[in-house]
């Protein structure tokens, strides 16, 4: 990595220290709390799966029963009750799940021998961590075996038919065309569901439900094309919304490779309660960290919501915060796919120079991070020919600044979710451009008093100003006052607040402690 | 009667560019199939100028066709709540002062599960869009923007509460016709409450045409490129008319 | 019978992209006219997603339509002198040695006023095109490339002189059907001289289909993407057949 | 102009001296010769115009009669006979033209008083030079009046309907859309006609006949849009072929602003005799020089005919030769639109870097010249979406290297002559890209041991090697041996050889000497 922008290292370090200070009180809060979905995620790791005849998933049934029986019982963690039932009934996890789905209430059984419960739990923890570790090993083996056969940056395509079986066809075609990463877009508003649907699904709006079975189906399909292409095809889904940790758990078990996972997306763009989101993101990231799953953060959303030129600093500030939260969850830099986007108004004079500056800045400030770069979307229109031109320049900047994960822009972005042909044209364009400008990154330098360098310095400065304000205000108040993304979110407002759980003194979560141990986390 | 045909580089040459995918392998046979398909749409002539495999079983085509069909331009009726005659912000405020004589109240939201705020913000929020201020900036209007993901029920309650003259709803996601379901539900709810006629109902979004909106029971619909003053012009004129 | 329809993202959704210009001003009325035109081609559904003025009197449109028409893929017959089964250079030479037993002579040119040499060079010259050597490189062939702007008369005389087995003509410019006039003249000249049957006649060029060439009296036609070995394969097989 | 490539100034100067030595023997040849079209051009400047009922133009009638009467009589120049007839008949030029069209033979009149002839001729010379000078003054006035309203580089669009009245509509639309230069493409093979057709025409193949009336019609139309747009719209046509000087003369009189005019295009790409071409180009360029018309040279043709990567040096060599020939005709650097093109295979790794290098090299070696940059054509295909991407990068390079005249690439290049919509999309793309990368030229530097710099140095070196070979071989032999563009042209082969005229000791051409005087040319 060559440093071309001459950014002041001490200011960058200062911004990182601001991030540390800003997030410290949040971390304190997180440490003292769990949530319904953290508990359900734990149950899932323990083996809870399936759904009742109304489609209510077993993890929800367990957690809801515990709460219904005693509103404070979750303070002790849900695992205790589930494993207790398992020990007492003496059957398999599967048998217990079936029973629960059929109406059995785990709280109906009195707590048995603590030792026996803990021993059983440790066994479950060991088994599930082993499975996740094996997945990670398999992925790393394949990446080693087929080294050098992926594109750089990785080309990332979405499928969004709403039907997992159609998705599979589109994904296979996309991979054959050259995609390295397939993301299955989630159905509209799944992030607002406080449960994860069960089984294979064929009806989604603008996307497909994230379910464990759907994960499994897509994983198998991509492994198949991967073998043919001798290229590891990464699978991505969304661990945002009200079920962050559960989806992370499902992904770890089904060997997903990337997860959309932002520390504040749910709060700002989905109106999910802030406390809930902070708690959930931590546990989900611990799972991702252990699974070797790359997270993709959602800074692009700031730029589609507000003006991309004026609010560039919000992206950098968010990257620093996401980085800090990720480190605190044990996620190394190389798994932090920090987000940003090419979203400036195409009529801005020197827009290209500014985009180049910001992408290069991200590269230099986050040198080990597999930056996730998002294409133009907001200013895409029905003019598909202009769209191709915008995507061409976007592809250019991405290669010219050595980004890590490259989301392909669609010429029909403003019209419909991508057709198969749209996706092909996107890959084809990217491969043309990236091969044609291959050496740009190493060959080109910027005038030290020029537009590119000037822009990067300015954005860094604005970022620090902004972070200082957030630090002074305090994170929770800053969000409440609308400092982020121009939306105000009341502390106890938003969805899912009621799902927050204060950990009791006897809080028991052997998965959490297992993960902390494995990740070497102190708190 | 004014006969109009597509124009390539000579009047009435009828040239049209097409592209599409077929679920067949790429090759000579696929290209011929593509050509025949284009001819089956009534094109007199078609050249498939490009084909490419998308996978072993799918292929894409670019073609140019020549059509002889035409339409009578004079008989075409524009579908859009035309922006041609919109007043600007000052004009709207002046109009309100002269013809209505009190503040006009509007309530807006992006309803259902739709989370796209930018469109409704463009119409309502202070700063507006593309150098057109939003309705909040209009001195003679009182505007409430409830944001996105707002249930229809809540929006209606709010409108009743603040005695709104007009309700604005935005729908951006149209996959599987979600917008139609949601807009229909909105009208049904209003009718069930017996308050349909209390409000001017405005729908908007990039895929919302005036025609569609009217069909679904709204007073008007605005698509891509609408500005606050277009909407305001419609509302205040309609309001004056109603009185 | 295999029914095939355009494919957007779901089997048989019939999605097609179109773009064209209309000789009318840009605006709501133009967009509606564009939509109606697309519907007049039998599309069931059409959304005009973009329009733009090209001048005060012309405007362009981008539209997506949804068709229900289909074709029977099984009944489609590929028009092209299929390259699927072409021999490679070595195969062709071996074939000549075994089935013809003497050098095969070919003469080629880009005829009439057409000055595009690149296409005919790609077929004949040593270096060939896209990693396919040209006919000059074939040890069992003798190839003469007369270049561009060659009058038909001269090409024929030359072919007679060198006792060519095949004559290759290239036509790139197709404006106002010049290629058709020129190719027709070529055949008429040969017939007037009574030598049509002495030669295998091959036409080529980016807009030359096999069908068109055969209609005009050639033995075969090659379009974009043809390589020397495709042409050679055709010639030597035909020659062996003729004997 | 900033020097970024660090090209060795002495090597550049050496290449220029090679060009001087290569062209010296050619200049000697030119000085001793005229041609039928040089004579006809002279007649046109004198006022000869119109055509007989078979469409044979008056200038041709005059020259053909002179030659028919006495095969050596042209050695004295055609003006003598025409002016003699004018003096003797005592009428207007118009009257004489009508007579000639009706069958009158100028050689049928014996030569009268030499003084009277020369006096009349001087009057005609003065009148026609005045008209050309006024045109130049008008253009310069408008450019001054509307300064800053043209794009930079100038956006150049072609019209090619074949029908001058359709051309006018398309040209007006193109200018409204933002074009700065309109070129009326000539009908296929007009360059092979040894006469210029007469009158307005509506039937051409792939282009419209270049006639004086067509020039006039288009000029008027563009002036009209220009007034509306408050932007001077330049008009371009083609002086190449068998009638170079005549078309230049027509252009000077009708206020064209640019002319395709290459010293060797006719020889290499149209198989026109080499001697004839060299003689014709000189006279045509003297006219252009006086008229302030920018010439556009045809180096792009080397790249469409041969491989653009391998033969890049032929472009630079040709630019040096064209520059030298132009200087020798009195054409200043600021009127030399030396050509080059973005024609590399889109699959070449780092193709963009090489294109950037070559465009920048041309900029630095020819700093005052309004370089004419041609778009990708050869590798354009029916894939219009890929075509848009290629044009996007081309537009980028053009702005990023500060080119002068930018020919817009058409997404349908491989399919048809441009539709009105194709042209609009081309302008729209260029304006988007050029505004978006506006500051690139000043902001970006190249690593001194990198790809861009290395490529430029290499091409310069190859150019010098090639020019040394040409010098050693001699220009005429070099062309005969196929050193240029891989085509061999025999010295006395090719079209129009018979139209070459050796100047006699009494050669009389007051227009030539008038131009030389005005341009300060010694020879
Ligand atoms: C920005 C954006 C987002 C942002 C939204 C941020 C935000 N705070 O709003 C984020 C990233 C969150 C997002 C998410 C999704 N998006 Co989105 N998004 C877009 C995008 C890029 C731009 C939309 C936009 O802001 N346009 C600018 C505004 C000003 O234009 P506008 O909305 O058309 O508004 C104008 C007019 O329509 C009109 N108008 C609009 N509303 C109203 C209301 C009234 C009353 C009036 C009078 C006028 C009016 O006036 C406005 C000004 O002229 C579009 C693609 C595109 N380029 O259009 C996709 C797009 C709309 N999204 C799409 C999808 C599918 C989604 C998701 C469902 C994807 C998923 N499965 O995760 C999610 C979920 C969101 C949800 N549940 O609704 C699809 C919709 C496809 C379809 N037709 O159904 C699009 C077209 C992208 C695509 N090609 O797939 N998206
Ligand atoms: C290069 C080029 C030129 C160069 C030619 C240089 C040269 N030495 O050949 C120059 C600049 C001189 C030129 C001039 C003109 N050109 Co031109 N040119 C092109 C261009 C960019 C590429 C053609 C090419 O070389 N393709 C590469 C070769 C390898 O492909 P190909 O020719 O298709 O050949 C393949 C097959 O078709 C086949 N094939 C071809 N011939 C034969 C013959 C046989 C026997 C066989 C078996 C196969 C075969 O095999 C080849 C290999 O696969 C095209 C646009 C394009 N991208 O296609 C325009 C294009 C062909 N030109 C065009 C025009 C109009 C002209 C002019 C008439 C413009 C003018 N008025 O000045 C002039 C005049 C030329 C004339 N009188 O013919 C138009 C033709 C429009 C039409 N359909 O009629 C085009 C399409 C550009 C456009 N969009 O306007 N041109
Ligand atoms: C971080 C992150 N999560 C999730 C999503 C989308 O998920 P949903 O629409 O389900 O909230 C996005 C999309 O922009 C995102 O950036
Ligand atoms: C210098 C020059 N003159 C003329 C032409 C074309 O003219 P024509 O086809 O009439 O020879 C070109 C086109 O490439 C050219 O580069």
């Amino acid at each position: 990595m060559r440093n071309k922008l001459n950014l002041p290292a001490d200011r960058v370090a200062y911004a990182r220290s601001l991030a540390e200070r800003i997030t410290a009180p949040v971390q304190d809060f997180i440490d003292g709390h769990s949530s319904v979905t953290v508990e359900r995620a734990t149950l899932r790791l323990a083996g809870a799966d399936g759904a009742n005849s109304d489609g209510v998933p077993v993890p929800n049934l367990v957690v809801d029963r515990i709460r219904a029986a005693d509103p404070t019982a979750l303070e002790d963690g849900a695992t205790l009750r589930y494993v207790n039932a398992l020990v007492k009934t003496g059957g398999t996890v599967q048998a217990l799940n079936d029973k629960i789905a059929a109406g059995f209430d785990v709280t109906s059984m009195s707590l048995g021998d603590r030792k026996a419960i803990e021993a059983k739990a440790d066994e479950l923890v060991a088994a599930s961590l082993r499975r996740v570790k094996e997945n990670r090993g398999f992925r790393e083996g394949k990446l080693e075996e087929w080294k050098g056969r992926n594109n750089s940056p990785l080309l990332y395509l979405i499928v969004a038919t709403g039907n997992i079986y159609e998705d599979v066809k589109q994904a296979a075609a996309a991979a054959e065309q050259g995609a390295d990463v397939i993301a299955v877009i989630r159905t509209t508003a799944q992030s607002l569901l406080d449960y994860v649907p069960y089984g294979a699904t064929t009806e989604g709006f603008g996307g497909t439900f994230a379910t464990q079975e759907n994960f499994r189906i897509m994983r198998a399909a991509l492994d198949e094309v991967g073998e043919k292409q001798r290229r590891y095809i990464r699978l991505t889904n969304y661990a945002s919304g009200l079920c962050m940790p559960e989806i992370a758990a499902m992904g770890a078990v089904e060997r997903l490779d990337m997860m959309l996972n932002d520390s504040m997306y749910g709060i700002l763009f989905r109106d999910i309660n802030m406390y809930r989101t902070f708690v959930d993101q931590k546990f989900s990231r611990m799972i991702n960290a252990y699974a070797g799953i790359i997270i993709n953060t959602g800074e692009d959303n700031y730029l589609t919501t507000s003006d991309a030129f004026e609010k560039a600093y919000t992206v950098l500030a968010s990257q620093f915060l996401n980085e800090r939260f990720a480190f605190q969850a044990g996620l190394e830099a190389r798994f932090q796919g920090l987000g940003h986007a090419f979203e400036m108004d195409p009529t801005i004079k020197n827009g290209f120079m500014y985009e180049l500056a910001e992408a290069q800045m991200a590269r230099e400030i986050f040198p080990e991070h597999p930056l996730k770069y998002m294409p133009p979307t907001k200013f895409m229109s029905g003019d598909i020919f202009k769209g191709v031109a915008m995507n061409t320049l976007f592809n250019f900047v991405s290669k010219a600044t050595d980004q890590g994960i490259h989301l392909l822009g669609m010429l029909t972005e403003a019209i419909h979710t991508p057709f198969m042909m749209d996706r092909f044209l996107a890959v084809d364009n990217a491969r043309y451009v990236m091969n044609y400008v291959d050496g740009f990154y190493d060959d080109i330098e910027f005038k030290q008093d020029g537009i590119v360098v000037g822009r990067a310095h300015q954005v860094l400065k604005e970022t620090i100003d902004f972070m200082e304000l957030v630090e002074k205000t305090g994170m929770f108040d800053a969000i409440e006052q609308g400092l982020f993304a121009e939306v105000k979110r009341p502390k106890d407002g938003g969805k899912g607040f009621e799902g927050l759980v204060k950990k009791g003194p006897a809080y028991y979560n052997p998965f959490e402690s297992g993960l902390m141990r494995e990740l070497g986390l102190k708190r | 009667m004014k006969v109009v045909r597509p124009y390539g580089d000579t009047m009435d040459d009828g040239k049209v560019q097409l592209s599409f995918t077929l679920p067949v392998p790429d090759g000579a046979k696929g290209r011929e199939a593509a050509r025949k398909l284009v001819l089956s749409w009534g094109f007199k002539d078609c050249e498939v100028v490009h084909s490419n495999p998308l996978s072993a079983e799918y292929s894409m085509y670019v073609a140019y066709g020549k059509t002889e069909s035409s339409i009578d331009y004079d008989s075409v009726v524009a579908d859009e709540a035309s922006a041609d005659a919109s007043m600007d912000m000052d004009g709207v405020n002046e109009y309100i002062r002269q013809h209505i004589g009190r503040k006009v109240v509007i309530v807006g939201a992006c309803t259902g599960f739709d989370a796209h705020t930018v469109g409704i913000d463009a119409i309502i929020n202070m700063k507006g869009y593309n150098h057109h201020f939003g309705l909040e900036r209009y001195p003679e209007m009182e505007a409430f923007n409830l944001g996105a993901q707002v249930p229809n029920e809540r929006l209606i309650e709010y409108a009743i509460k603040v005695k709104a003259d007009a309700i604005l709803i935005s729908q951006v996601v149209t996959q599987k016709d979600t917008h139609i379901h949601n807009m229909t539900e909105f009208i049904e709810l209003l009718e069930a409450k017996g308050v349909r006629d209390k409000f001017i109902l405005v729908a908007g979004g990039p895929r919302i045409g005036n025609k569609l909106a009217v069909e679904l029971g709204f007073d008007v619909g605005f698509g891509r490129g609408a500005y606050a003053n277009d909407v305001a012009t419609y509302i205040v004129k309609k309001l004056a008319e109603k009185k």
Side-chain angles (χ1 to χ4, degrees), chain A, chain B:
Chain A
M1 218 280 308
R2 293 195 307 123
N3 186 323
K4 307 180 180 191
L5 297 172
N6 201 20
L7 292 169
D10 59 332
R11 299 305 287 167
V12 173
Y14 173 60
R16 283 209 161 83
S17 73
L18 280 171
E20 212 169 326
R21 276 182 272 155
I22 290 169
T23 56
V26 182
Q27 286 300 333
D28 292 341
F29 181 88
I30 293 170
D31 290 344
H33 290 81
S34 177
S35 76
V36 286
T37 180
V38 167
E39 295 308 314
R40 295 192 305 248
T42 309
L43 292 174
R44 284 182 183 272
L45 289 173
D49 196 9
N52 73 7
S53 54
D54 294 337
V56 183
V58 167
N60 289 64
L61 290 172
V62 174
V63 168
D64 293 352
R65 288 278 160 69
I66 296 174
R67 267 205 151 171
D70 172 0
T72 67
L74 269 184
E75 286 184 9
D76 298 339
T79 321
L80 194 65
R81 286 290 173 180
Y82 182 76
V83 179
N84 178 53
L86 195 62
V87 173
K88 285 222 163 153
T89 53
T92 61
V93 167
Q94 180 62 50
L96 178 60
N97 292 342
D98 291 346
K99 265 180 84 121
I100 295 170
F104 169 71
D105 179 356
V106 291
T107 63
S108 65
M109 286 185 159
S110 63
L111 272 182
D113 175 41
R114 183 80 188 195
K115 276 266 160 58
I117 294 173
E118 289 187 4
K120 183 72 190 169
D122 288 347
E123 194 185 293
L124 294 171
V125 169
S128 79
L129 293 192
R130 196 180 326 114
R131 170 148 187 194
V132 172
K133 197 169 200 166
E134 275 166 16
N135 281 341
R136 185 171 176 162
F138 181 86
R139 177 195 306 116
E140 284 166 3
K142 284 294 177 191
L143 284 173
E144 183 56 35
E145 179 184 348
W146 294 326
K147 205 160 58 183
R149 294 187 53 86
N150 280 114
N151 297 292
S152 165
L154 296 170
L155 300 184
Y156 178 120
L157 274 176
I158 62 169
V159 296
T161 68
N163 177 329
I164 187 65
Y165 301 106
E166 284 291 327
D167 279 351
V168 157
K169 284 188 223 164
Q170 303 254 353
E176 279 181 45
Q177 288 157 21
D180 302 294
V181 186
I182 299 293
V184 181
I185 296 281
R186 238 169 21 173
T187 183
T188 305
Q190 184 176 350
S191 26
L192 306 186
L193 303 181
D194 212 340
Y195 66 93
V196 183
Y198 180 76
T201 69
T202 56
E203 284 290 320
F205 301 105
T208 305
F209 284 97
T211 73
Q212 191 159 350
E213 182 60 19
N214 288 347
F215 285 7
R216 199 174 293 143
I217 292 169
M218 187 54 88
R219 177 72 276 167
L222 294 186
D223 282 350
E224 200 182 310
V225 219
E227 284 296 333
K228 264 191 248 156
Q229 303 270 323
R230 306 192 53 68
R231 200 154 43 90
Y232 186 72
I233 314 290
R234 288 176 171 86
L235 174 57
T236 303
N237 213 293
Y238 292 69
S240 304
L242 287 169
C243 298
M244 289 183 97
E246 284 177 276
I247 293 184
M250 287 158 43
V253 169
E254 301 302 338
R255 190 167 33 87
L256 267 71
D257 307 291
M258 293 187 187
M259 277 289 177
L260 276 271
N261 182 300
D262 190 282
S263 53
M264 297 200 284
Y265 168 83
I267 306 169
L268 302 173
F269 304 104
R270 283 307 192 174
D271 197 8
I272 293 175
N273 176 265
M274 59 173 93
Y275 298 113
R276 165 81 180 256
T277 296
F278 285 128
V279 168
D280 291 350
Q281 61 86 25
K282 167 86 183 280
F283 195 66
S284 71
R285 285 177 172 195
M286 283 167 56
I287 296 173
N288 289 331
Y290 186 68
I293 288 176
I294 293 173
I295 62 163
N296 293 347
T297 61
E299 281 79 2
D300 46 288
N301 295 289
Y302 293 90
L303 303 183
T304 50
T305 303
S306 312
D307 183 80
F309 181 80
E310 285 167 23
K311 298 289 176 175
Y313 66 84
T314 63
V315 168
L316 183 55
S318 171
Q319 289 169 332
F320 280 125
L321 296 175
N322 261 315
E323 182 193 48
R324 188 71 235 150
F325 278 122
F327 281 142
Q328 255 142 349
L331 202 81
E332 299 164 56
R334 68 189 168 109
F335 294 116
Q336 295 180 18
L338 299 178
H340 60 139
F342 184 101
E343 284 282 13
M344 274 181 219
D345 186 337
T347 65
I348 293 182
K349 186 165 197 155
N350 281 322
F352 180 88
M353 313 302 287
Y354 301 134
E355 293 287 9
L356 192 67
E358 292 173 16
Q360 178 71 23
M361 175 185 75
R363 179 70 297 161
E364 296 190 8
I365 295 180
F366 304 102
E368 293 165 37
H369 309 55
L371 297 174
K372 179 198 75 159
Y373 198 30
M374 300 279 291
T377 63
K378 187 167 167 182
F379 286 95
M380 295 293 278
S381 70
D383 184 351
I384 55 177
F385 303 104
K386 175 68 136 295
V388 171
M390 290 165 63
N391 286 332
T392 303
L393 294 188
F394 162 65
N395 291 336
F396 189 140
V397 170
S398 185
K399 185 72 184 177
T401 56
D402 196 23
Q403 299 297 309
I405 304 163
H406 180 84
L407 271 87
L408 289 162
M410 294 294 135
L411 78 171
T412 53
E413 168 63 32
I415 306 167
H416 48 235
T417 45
F419 287 175
M420 189 191 275
M421 183 173 119
D422 302 341
R423 249 184 250 117
F424 168 78
L425 292 171
V427 175
D428 196 53
N429 186 305
R431 295 188 128 190
Y432 158 58
V433 173
M434 292 184 180
N435 181 57
Y436 225 47
V437 308
D438 187 78
F440 191 96
Y441 181 69
D442 283 324
D443 218 59
I444 260 65
E445 282 161 4
F446 307 121
K447 223 165 78 178
Q448 283 308 309
D449 58 350
I451 302 171
V452 168
V453 171
R455 173 72 183 165
H457 284 248
Q458 179 207 343
V459 173
L460 176 59
K461 188 193 164 303
E462 287 173 7
T463 303
I464 290 173
D465 293 347
F466 174 65
M467 290 177 79
E468 284 176 339
L469 177 63
V470 173
E471 200 220 340
K472 222 173 58 198
T473 313
M475 185 71 158
F476 299 114
D477 289 312
I479 296 174
E480 195 164 61
Q481 290 169 25
L483 293 191
F484 289 95
E486 307 178 85
V487 286
K488 299 179 181 173
R489 302 298 187 199
K491 289 183 195 160
D492 50 9
K495 302 173 186 78
F497 184 42
E498 67 292 346
L500 196 67
V501 175
K502 202 171 159 41
K503 287 180 182 169
Y507 181 70
Y508 173 63
N509 189 335
F511 290 89
E512 185 182 46
S513 39
L515 283 169
M516 286 176 70
R517 192 179 56 240
E518 294 282 329
L519 294 167
L521 292 177
K522 301 272 168 310
R523 52 181 261 179
Chain B
M1 163 142 174
K2 180 178 172 192
V3 170
V4 161
R5 283 193 188 81
Y7 175 102
D9 69 348
T10 314
M11 195 52 82
D12 288 333
D13 60 13
K15 293 296 180 76
V16 174
Q17 175 268 323
L18 305 98
S19 74
F20 51 87
T21 295
L22 294 181
V24 304
D26 186 31
K29 189 168 172 180
R31 283 188 289 274
E32 179 63 7
R35 200 179 67 87
K36 288 210 153 154
L37 251 175
V38 174
L39 296 182
S40 82
W41 299 327
F43 287 87
K44 287 290 157 241
D45 229 352
C46 168
E47 221 182 327
V48 175
V49 296
H50 178 70
S51 75
N52 220 96
L54 300 185
S55 74
E57 289 143 46
Y58 292 88
S59 47
M60 64 159 281
Y61 302 87
V62 179
Y64 279 80
K66 184 178 164 60
T67 180
E68 287 175 3
S69 41
S70 62
I71 48 154
D72 172 16
Y73 186 62
D74 290 336
S75 75
V76 172
V77 182
D79 160 45
E80 293 161 51
S82 174
D84 302 329
S86 289
M87 298 181 275
D88 65 7
M89 181 168 85
D90 294 342
V92 168
N93 288 312
E94 192 50 41
Y95 188 98
I96 297 176
R97 274 175 227 117
Q98 296 201 351
H99 297 90
I100 303 177
R102 61 163 175 85
K103 286 210 175 183
V104 172
V105 181
I106 69 108
V107 176
C110 184
T111 62
F113 289 119
D114 204 322
H116 291 87
T117 52
V118 182
I120 190 78
D121 287 355
I123 302 297
I124 303 186
N125 287 11
M126 279 289 174
K127 68 175 173 187
Y129 184 60
N130 223 349
H131 311 292
H132 295 251
F133 289 127
L135 301 180
E136 286 182 352
R137 189 73 141 247
Y138 286 53
E140 301 302 327
M141 284 194 151
E142 192 150 11
F144 300 93
N145 182 357
L146 306 193
Q149 300 184 147
V150 176
N152 286 323
E153 185 77 44
R154 219 184 93 212
L155 175 61
I156 295 171
E157 276 164 21
Y158 198 95
I160 294 174
K161 196 178 84 189
V162 300
K163 298 206 176 58
D165 294 299
I167 308 181
L168 277 58
I169 88 166
S170 177
Q171 290 287 280
V172 177
V173 176
T174 60
Q175 282 253 331
K176 310 251 158 104
D177 291 337
T178 31
H179 61 309
I180 297 189
H181 300 308
N182 189 53
M183 288 163 74
T184 308
E185 190 205 84
F186 177 74
I187 298 289
E188 284 170 2
L189 267 173
L190 282 170
E191 279 168 355
K193 289 186 196 285
V195 295
R196 163 67 187 89
D197 296 330
K198 289 205 166 156
F199 306 107
I200 297 172
L201 299 182
V202 184
R207 309 255 90 80
I208 308 290
N210 182 47
K211 202 185 241 164
L212 176 73
V214 171
E215 260 170 40
L216 296 179
F218 287 75
D219 290 300
V220 68
F222 287 90
R224 207 163 239 287
Y227 294 121
N229 61 314
D230 301 325
V231 184
T233 299
Y234 178 87
I235 292 175
V236 297
K237 290 214 168 147
K238 185 87 184 178
L239 211 55
E241 198 177 281
K242 261 183 146 181
K243 296 210 300 186

